């Protein structure tokens, strides 16, 4: 009853707004470039995230270089690792086994590993089309961080995602932050995309994939 009253009702309001108001006034043109002084605004956004020592052209060039490098690494992993699909009924078990293996290897790269009670949960999400994702724990860690996985996963992609979303990625990052008594509250939840996803990407490249094959 409460779901219908609050959740469904507000989702319908959102859909009505998107279809009847937002969509009618949306544009077919590209991003900020379509607006007056859009490029200048984009430069200000970059400065807010990355200070003033890079330009949009620098970021674009770095992106091309990184894509090329990552593609080369992926091809190597495909050659050296089993790239089979994971059956839906074994997906959670496979990700849990990776979680334990990653945690046991944490001391190769960091000062300590996590206690088993502080590891993230693994759940199947059959409703989302966004792919696997991580949901951070609450402030007091009473609700554990959760790694949601979908179906039709392949093994090498799941290994990369476990590094990025789990250990030593977002879960390890958030657990350390939330349990740091010296960190002000506003800093614990006031992170930036550049930092969070930069950390996740760093973690993808940190491990020796032979440890996971």
């Amino acid at each position: 009853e409460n779901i219908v009253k609050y959740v469904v009702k507000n989702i319908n309001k959102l859909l009505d707004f998107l279809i009847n108001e937002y969509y009618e006034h949306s544009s077919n043109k590209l991003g900020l470039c379509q607006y007056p002084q859009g490029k200048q605004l984009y430069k200000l956004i970059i400065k807010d995230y990355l200070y003033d020592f890079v330009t949009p052209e620098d970021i674009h060039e770095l992106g091309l270089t990184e894509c090329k490098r990552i593609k080369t690494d992926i091809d190597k992993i495909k050659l050296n690792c089993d790239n089979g699909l994971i059956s839906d009924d074994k997906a959670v078990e496979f990700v849990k086994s990776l979680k334990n293996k990653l945690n046991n290897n944490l001391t190769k790269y960091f000062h300590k590993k996590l206690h088993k009670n502080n590891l993230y949960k693994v759940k199947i999400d059959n409703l989302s089309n966004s792919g696997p994702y991580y949901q951070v724990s609450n402030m007091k860690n009473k609700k554990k961080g959760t790694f949601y996985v979908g179906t039709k996963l392949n093994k090498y992609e799941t290994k990369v995602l476990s590094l990025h979303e789990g250990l030593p990625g977002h879960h390890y990052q958030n657990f350390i932050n939330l349990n740091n008594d010296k960190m002000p509250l506003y800093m614990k939840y006031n992170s930036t995309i550049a930092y969070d996803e930069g950390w996740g990407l760093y973690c993808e490249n940190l491990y020796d994939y032979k440890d996971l094959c």
Side-chain angles (χ1 to χ4, degrees):
E1 182 180 342
N2 285 333
I3 291 177
V4 173
K5 183 178 179 180
Y6 296 106
V7 180
V8 175
K9 177 182 176 182
N10 285 293
I11 289 176
N12 285 333
K13 286 172 64 177
L14 176 61
L15 287 173
D16 181 67
F17 166 74
L18 291 174
I19 294 170
N20 297 315
E21 294 185 47
Y22 184 83
Y23 179 74
E24 288 184 0
H25 297 90
S26 60
S27 173
N28 293 323
K29 296 180 181 180
L30 181 64
L32 290 174
C33 294
Q34 64 183 290
Y35 301 111
Q37 298 184 329
K39 290 184 178 180
Q40 288 80 355
L41 177 58
Y42 183 63
K43 289 180 180 179
L44 286 174
I45 293 172
I46 291 175
K47 185 176 180 180
D48 183 51
Y49 276 94
L50 301 172
Y51 303 106
D52 56 1
F53 54 83
V54 291
T55 66
E57 292 75 19
D58 293 332
I59 294 174
H60 181 70
E61 191 60 37
L62 177 62
L64 294 176
T65 303
E66 282 297 286
C67 285
K68 184 177 180 179
R69 180 186 65 80
I70 292 170
K71 174 67 165 55
T72 301
D73 288 345
I74 288 174
D75 290 341
K76 289 179 182 178
I77 294 169
K78 286 181 178 179
L79 289 174
N80 298 316
C81 292
D82 180 7
N83 183 27
L85 289 175
I86 307 168
S87 60
D88 293 348
D89 60 324
K90 295 182 179 179
V92 170
E93 198 58 39
F94 182 79
V95 176
K96 283 182 177 179
S97 69
L98 277 178
K99 172 181 70 175
N100 294 326
K101 187 179 293 187
L102 289 170
N103 192 46
N104 289 333
N105 285 331
L106 268 180
T107 49
K108 288 184 179 180
Y109 306 93
F110 299 95
H111 294 300
K112 61 181 180 180
K113 65 180 184 179
L114 299 183
H115 188 276
K116 63 180 182 179
N117 292 335
N118 296 324
L119 296 178
Y120 53 89
K121 296 188 292 185
V122 180
K123 291 185 177 182
I124 288 284
D125 181 6
N126 292 316
L127 300 178
S128 175
N129 294 319
S130 62
Y133 60 94
Y134 174 75
Q135 182 68 50
V136 66
S137 63
N138 60 9
M139 184 67 75
K140 295 182 178 180
N141 285 311
K142 290 185 178 180
K143 181 181 179 181
K144 284 188 176 182
T146 305
F147 183 18
Y148 289 94
V149 298
T151 55
K152 297 180 173 59
L153 299 172
N154 62 58
K155 291 184 178 179
Y156 72 82
E157 183 180 22
T158 304
K159 292 170 183 176
V160 173
L161 287 167
S162 292
L163 288 164
H164 183 110
E165 305 289 350
L167 299 168
H170 294 321
H171 179 75
Y172 192 70
Q173 167 201 359
N174 281 290
F175 182 85
I176 297 299
N177 286 346
L178 291 177
N179 287 276
N180 184 352
D181 294 334
K182 296 181 180 179
M183 183 178 289
L185 287 177
Y186 79 90
M187 291 182 64
K188 292 187 177 184
Y189 273 94
N190 189 29
S191 59
T192 65
I193 294 175
Y195 173 78
D196 285 346
E197 298 310 320
W199 175 258
L201 181 62
Y202 168 72
C203 292
E204 290 177 23
N205 294 275
L206 182 64
Y207 263 58
D208 185 346
Y209 279 87
K210 289 183 290 186
D211 291 340
L212 300 177
C213 293

